[in-house]
């Protein structure tokens, strides 16, 4: 991993330099390179489910949502969880990438993100046993099959919570089929023009379900000890790499603890990260937590998950992204300056303030180009 000069987009150049004053060189706004992709700063839009698609298709909402974060200065703009099959969706309103129409709809958004000098990323996901629920503003309860829901699958026949769908335990044929679906979605992502894939192995969705002993009680080669439980994830990574070019980066979002006794631990997360690092196929661990068991006990606060990114970076020798209530420029800068992570992922803060990166650059006195259309706001 190395740094390089920030790529120049159509809104860069002399028109910006005339407005800039000599500034500092904060870590938050230093470029970073993963394989053949250079990112202009260390800010990544965290995947944020919008529950606004129809039949998995992106629409103007997705263009505006993702486009605003690109014009707002984020270095990497990532889609929400984008599902590899209709069966794998969290809700009937979730985004998908399993057909060419979805690919073409996303390609339009990718082109706009890139036109603003940001790097387009896609999170590929399968919801597993947490599929077929209603959207949050309708309560997030189970979506009954009789009412348009669908059968859900998982590593074992264990429901996420009382009253939720009991998944059908996946056969080896199911595992092979879902792996192939990840590969097909990867091909479509490449054709759409995405430059980074973030595989979703967190928050209680399918790949995380296999990793956690709370949801995986299999007695075959995909269960048992940590190596068995990690087998599916490792196979998906290897399969995705057959369609994802060597010059493009692959991230993995990992829940680094289940926050429940008997579940995944920090030590497990380090070992999983070591396994992935050893493959030479994964470039960054996107370090989140929780989501696999409603009994979890979390005490959130500013930067409360940073220690997971810091530990994995140090002990697994792989780049990491930190996420979770990193809401101020000073906190983000401290994390990077002290080598606790390589990227800062922001979700709710960027949801509320799409131009947070531009404002953070001003606060840290960094020479960052603003879109020419917004230059009048630079000194306001």
């Amino acid at each position: 991993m190395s740094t390089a000069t920030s790529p120049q987009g159509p809104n860069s150049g002399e028109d910006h330099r005339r407005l800039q004053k000599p500034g500092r060189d904060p870590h938050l706004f230093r470029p970073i390179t993963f394989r053949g992709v250079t990112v202009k700063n260390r800010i990544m839009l965290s995947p944020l489910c919008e529950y606004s698609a129809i039949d998995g298709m992106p629409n103007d909402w997705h263009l505006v949502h993702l486009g605003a974060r690109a014009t707002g200065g984020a270095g990497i703009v990532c889609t929400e969880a984008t599902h590899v099959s209709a069966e794998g969706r969290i809700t009937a309103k979730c985004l998908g990438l399993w057909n060419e129409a979805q690919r073409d709809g996303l390609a339009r958004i990718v082109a706009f993100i890139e036109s603003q000098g940001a790097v387009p990323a896609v999170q590929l996901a399968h919801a597993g046993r947490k599929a077929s629920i209603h959207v949050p503003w309708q309560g997030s309860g189970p979506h009954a099959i009789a009412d348009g829901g669908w059968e859900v699958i998982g590593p074992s026949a264990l429901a996420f919570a009382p009253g939720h769908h009991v998944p059908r335990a996946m056969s080896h044929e199911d595992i092979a089929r879902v792996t192939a679906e990840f590969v097909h979605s990867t091909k479509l992502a490449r054709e759409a023009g995405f430059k980074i894939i973030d595989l979703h192995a967190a928050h209680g969705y399918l790949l995380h379900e296999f990793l956690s002993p709370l949801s995986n009680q299999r007695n075959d080669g995909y269960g048992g000890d940590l190596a068995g439980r990690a087998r599916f994830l490792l196979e998906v990574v290897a399969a995705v790499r057959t369609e994802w070019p060597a010059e493009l980066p692959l991230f993995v979002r990992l829940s680094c603890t289940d926050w429940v006794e008997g579940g995944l631990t920090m030590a497990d997360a380090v070992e999983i990260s070591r396994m992935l690092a050893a493959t030479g196929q994964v470039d960054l661990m996107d370090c989140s937590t929780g989501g696999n068991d409603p009994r979890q006990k979390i005490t959130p606060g500013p930067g409360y998950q940073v220690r997971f990114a810091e530990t994995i970076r140090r002990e697994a020798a792989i780049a990491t992204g930190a996420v979770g209530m990193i809401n101020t420029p000073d906190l983000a800068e401290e994390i990077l300056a002290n080598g606790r992570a390589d990227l800062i992922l922001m979700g709710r803060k960027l949801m509320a303030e799409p131009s947070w990166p531009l404002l953070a650059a001003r606060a840290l006195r960094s020479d960052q180009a603003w879109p020419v259309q917004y230059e009048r706001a630079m000194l306001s």
Side-chain angles (χ1 to χ4, degrees):
M1 183 177 65
S2 61
T3 59
T5 303
S6 177
Q8 296 295 302
N11 287 334
S12 304
E14 296 299 330
D15 286 343
H16 290 281
R17 295 189 192 105
R18 63 183 172 79
L19 293 175
Q20 294 170 353
K21 297 178 180 179
R24 297 166 57 195
D25 182 28
H27 293 76
L28 188 60
F29 292 95
R30 294 179 185 177
I32 186 169
T33 296
F34 298 98
R35 295 184 183 247
V37 175
T38 297
V39 185
K40 65 184 178 182
N41 61 45
R42 307 299 180 94
I43 302 168
M44 175 174 170
L45 172 66
S46 191
L48 295 165
C49 285
E50 299 296 294
Y51 307 107
S52 299
I54 298 175
D55 296 327
M57 281 289 295
N59 52 48
D60 287 350
W61 177 268
H62 302 91
L63 172 65
V64 173
H65 166 66
L66 297 170
R69 279 74 200 170
T71 60
I76 301 173
V77 174
C78 190
T79 70
E80 63 197 86
T82 304
H83 298 90
V84 299
S85 68
E87 169 192 70
R89 291 173 299 170
I90 305 166
T91 77
K93 295 291 188 179
C94 283
L95 195 60
L97 185 52
W98 64 81
N99 63 43
E100 293 179 354
Q102 294 160 349
R103 175 200 65 191
D104 295 345
L106 286 165
R108 170 189 178 218
I109 298 171
V110 165
F112 182 80
I113 292 169
E114 289 196 303
S115 77
Q116 302 306 304
V119 175
V122 59
Q123 184 179 69
L124 295 183
H126 191 297
R129 68 176 185 171
K130 292 180 75 174
S132 191
I133 64 171
H134 290 289
V135 298
W137 46 88
Q138 293 177 344
S140 296
H143 193 162
I145 293 177
D147 189 35
W150 55 94
E151 180 188 43
V152 304
I153 59 175
S156 302
L158 299 168
F160 168 67
H164 280 243
H165 298 293
V166 176
R168 175 171 58 80
M170 292 171 67
S171 66
H172 285 198
E173 290 75 17
D174 290 323
I175 290 171
R177 173 177 54 80
V178 172
T179 301
E181 289 169 349
F182 272 100
V183 173
H184 181 59
S185 292
T186 298
K187 175 179 180 290
L188 295 172
R190 172 173 53 79
E191 293 171 348
F194 286 104
K195 297 301 187 291
I196 296 172
I197 283 178
D198 184 79
L199 282 180
H200 202 349
H203 303 163
Y205 300 119
L206 185 62
L207 295 175
H208 180 187
E209 292 165 18
F210 270 83
L211 293 172
S212 174
L214 297 174
S215 44
N216 184 346
Q217 296 182 7
R218 301 174 71 98
N219 56 14
D220 63 2
Y222 291 94
D225 62 10
L226 184 61
R229 300 195 312 273
R231 178 181 171 186
F232 185 32
L233 173 59
L234 288 167
E235 289 182 351
V236 169
V237 166
V240 161
R241 268 293 174 197
T242 67
E243 275 291 348
W244 195 237
E247 66 271 18
L248 297 182
L250 177 64
F251 298 173
V252 173
R253 170 159 275 198
L254 184 67
S255 275
C256 298
T257 178
D258 283 331
W259 300 107
V260 177
E261 185 176 355
L264 278 180
T265 66
M266 179 75 259
D268 294 331
V270 168
E271 187 56 33
I272 293 165
S273 300
R274 286 174 177 157
M275 294 178 193
L276 292 169
T279 69
Q281 297 171 323
V282 174
D283 302 284
L284 177 137
M285 300 303 299
D286 170 1
C287 299
S288 190
T289 64
N292 195 41
D293 193 306
R295 296 173 297 171
Q296 66 186 20
K297 292 181 172 58
I298 304 175
T299 304
Y304 73 104
Q305 295 180 140
V306 174
R307 62 188 175 96
F308 299 100
E310 181 177 13
T311 301
I312 286 174
R313 188 177 191 269
R314 181 180 66 247
E315 297 186 12
I318 190 169
T320 61
V323 65
M325 297 184 69
I326 304 171
N327 293 335
T328 67
D330 286 344
L331 177 56
E333 180 66 9
E334 180 276 318
I335 292 164
L336 296 170
N338 287 313
R340 303 173 71 193
D342 299 273
L343 287 181
I344 302 297
L345 285 91
M346 306 185 73
R348 290 175 176 85
K349 189 65 176 178
L350 280 180
M351 187 182 287
E353 297 182 56
S355 295
W356 186 92
L358 297 178
L359 300 176
R362 185 168 65 187
L364 294 174
R365 289 187 287 150
S366 172
D367 295 339
Q368 289 290 300
W370 285 48
V372 292
Q373 297 91 339
Y374 291 170
E375 283 181 346
R376 286 170 292 175
M378 286 183 67
L379 301 178
S380 64

